[in-house]
Amino acid sequence: MKRRRLMLVLALVLIASMVLFAAGKKEAAAGDGYKLVLKLSHVFSPAEQLTISMDEVAASIYEKTNGAIEIQTFPQAQLPAYKEGVEQVVRGADFISVEDPSFIGDYVLDIKALYAPMMYQSFDEYVDLVRRPVVQDMVAKAEAQGIKILALDYIYGFRNLITDKVIRTPADLSGMKIRVPGTVTYIDTLTAMGAIATPLPWGETLSAVQQGVIDGLEGSEFTNIGTRVYETRAKNVATTRHILGTCGVYISTDVWAKIPEQYQTIIQEEFTKGADHMVNLLKSQHAGVVKELESYGVKFNDVDGNAFRKALAPLYVEKAGMTPGVFQTVFAELDSMR
Ligand code: X3X
């Protein structure tokens, strides 16, 4: 008798907890009526992992917030991108800009010590560094400028020279017009390397190569394969690895502050997970992408790394407005990893 009574009580407790859980779920599903639509803009093409990752993160956030946070993604600069995209964030639009950190350099000068040439030997070093105090200080400075940084490590690969002739030394670049994204970091880097840095939006780049307006560009193997650079006359890749191509994810601090905390947590977690997934995926894919590019006639060659490092040395000096010693701090952190 006693046993039966115990079983009955247990069954009742189980039913009650299921009812409460369902009610709670329903409440979460119905939510509090909060709804926010954010437009996310970047310049990458549909076949590139950055685009795929942004779509995956947006879908996951939508699902985990029961539709409360809807991120509409716009690739290939369909919406304001590059500098103009970051300006939308600073203006407080319901907008997420996904650009490399050099586009934040106008607001946080110290970023020039993070997104600088020939700093990193691996993806992992950069992923580790962005979690260290010296970079978190930069993140805090960005927030003071109205830019909430949700991620910095959507890495799309080391950028190499992609040209119509073999490049091994800075002298080989003399007189060559090499396309770069339009920030001081890229312009200064390719100029120091010996080229005529030629800023162009990505959308105009491949036609400019084909028409001979420029002699080449610089980008990663993932860019090369994802946007079919290999179909142009620029079939020589000089493995300078001069910049680690990576994107950050930026939203207005004012917009961020209005988002309920439980949704902020989901958004942050999903963008963090998305970057981690993309880094691991691209690390595993790189060798195969190189082989595929070679099968399309792309030729890779080594370069005189010391000559390029010597040419780039003047760039590691703090410019006016940067925190004194910030380069040394970054170098010390990187040395501690090696
Ligand atoms: O701000 C994001 C990066 O600077 C984009 O670099 P870019 O303009 O060389 O484009 C890379 C391509 O993969 C885009 O499809």
Side-chain angles (χ1 to χ4, degrees):
M1 184 55 182
K2 219 170 157 186
R3 189 176 148 74
R4 281 187 60 198
R5 206 179 303 139
L6 179 64
M7 292 302 285
L8 183 62
V9 167
L10 280 176
L12 286 172
V13 167
L14 184 63
I15 291 164
S17 55
M18 283 167 72
V19 166
L20 283 173
F21 176 73
K25 200 97 177 84
K26 208 161 68 203
E27 191 177 301
D32 40 19
Y34 180 85
K35 173 84 180 178
L36 175 65
V37 177
L38 294 163
K39 295 187 186 307
L40 182 147
S41 173
H42 62 79
V43 299
F44 290 74
S45 304
E48 294 183 271
Q49 185 56 43
L50 189 282
T51 304
I52 297 164
S53 293
M54 287 299 127
D55 292 350
E56 288 173 348
V57 169
S60 185
I61 289 169
Y62 186 84
E63 188 212 335
K64 293 189 175 179
T65 62
N66 296 310
I69 305 292
E70 180 183 347
I71 299 177
Q72 298 171 352
T73 58
F74 296 86
Q76 294 184 297
Q78 293 168 29
L79 294 184
Y82 293 129
K83 189 169 180 286
E84 290 74 25
V86 175
E87 284 169 357
Q88 288 291 313
V89 166
V90 173
R91 279 198 206 105
D94 288 343
F95 193 91
I96 294 176
S97 167
V98 180
E99 301 292 347
D100 78 53
S102 74
F103 287 92
I104 304 297
D106 293 342
Y107 302 89
V108 180
L109 293 174
D110 283 356
I111 287 267
K112 288 177 175 46
L114 170 71
Y115 206 66
M118 292 199 170
M119 299 278 279
Y120 307 104
Q121 293 174 11
S122 70
F123 292 8
D124 292 346
E125 283 186 358
Y126 177 82
V127 170
D128 184 342
L129 181 70
V130 298
R131 285 157 176 74
R132 295 200 180 195
V134 63
V135 178
Q136 289 308 305
D137 287 349
M138 298 175 195
V139 171
K141 287 188 172 90
E143 289 197 17
Q145 299 281 331
I147 301 168
K148 166 74 177 172
I149 297 180
L150 294 172
L152 280 169
D153 44 358
Y154 276 86
I155 299 174
Y156 58 91
F158 282 101
R159 297 177 72 113
N160 293 314
L161 294 170
I162 309 173
T163 55
D164 59 352
K165 74 171 198 180
V166 174
I167 304 293
R168 294 190 192 284
T169 67
D172 293 338
L173 279 172
S174 176
M176 289 188 75
K177 284 186 241 164
I178 302 296
R179 177 269 174 182
V180 293
T183 65
V184 171
T185 295
Y186 283 101
I187 293 166
D188 286 356
T189 297
L190 270 293
T191 302
M193 288 170 73
I196 299 169
T198 309
L200 274 178
W202 181 263
E204 298 171 22
T205 299
L206 299 193
S207 54
V209 170
Q210 285 305 77
Q211 291 156 21
V213 172
I214 52 176
D215 303 301
L217 60 150
E218 42 85 55
S220 75
E221 282 70 83
F222 297 101
T223 291
N224 202 326
I225 200 113
T227 64
R228 296 171 175 268
V229 178
Y230 61 83
E231 290 179 341
T232 71
R233 60 194 186 88
K235 291 220 188 296
N236 294 283
V237 175
T239 54
T240 49
R241 291 159 57 102
H242 54 278
I243 283 182
L244 177 61
T246 182
C247 278
V249 180
Y250 318 113
I251 189 172
S252 156
T253 49
D254 293 341
V255 172
W256 182 253
K258 292 176 198 150
I259 297 173
E261 201 174 324
Q262 77 264 32
Y263 298 141
Q264 285 182 344
T265 303
I266 293 168
I267 294 166
Q268 182 62 75
E269 282 174 355
E270 293 308 308
F271 273 111
T272 301
K273 275 168 32 184
D276 184 50
H277 172 71
M278 182 166 160
V279 164
N280 289 318
L281 194 60
L282 267 55
K283 276 159 67 172
S284 69
Q285 288 178 345
H286 185 252
V289 167
V290 168
K291 276 200 175 12
E292 189 177 347
L293 287 170
E294 287 174 330
S295 74
Y296 298 143
V298 173
K299 295 203 178 344
F300 291 82
N301 67 267
D302 294 333
V303 297
D304 182 344
N306 289 333
F308 279 109
R309 268 183 290 280
K310 191 161 167 255
L312 288 164
L315 298 190
Y316 306 117
V317 175
E318 279 92 30
K319 296 191 171 172
M322 290 178 73
T323 303
V326 65
F327 269 111
Q328 282 61 40
T329 306
V330 168
F331 285 133
E333 293 288 5
L334 290 170
D335 287 345
S336 72
M337 301 177 199
R338 291 166 184 166

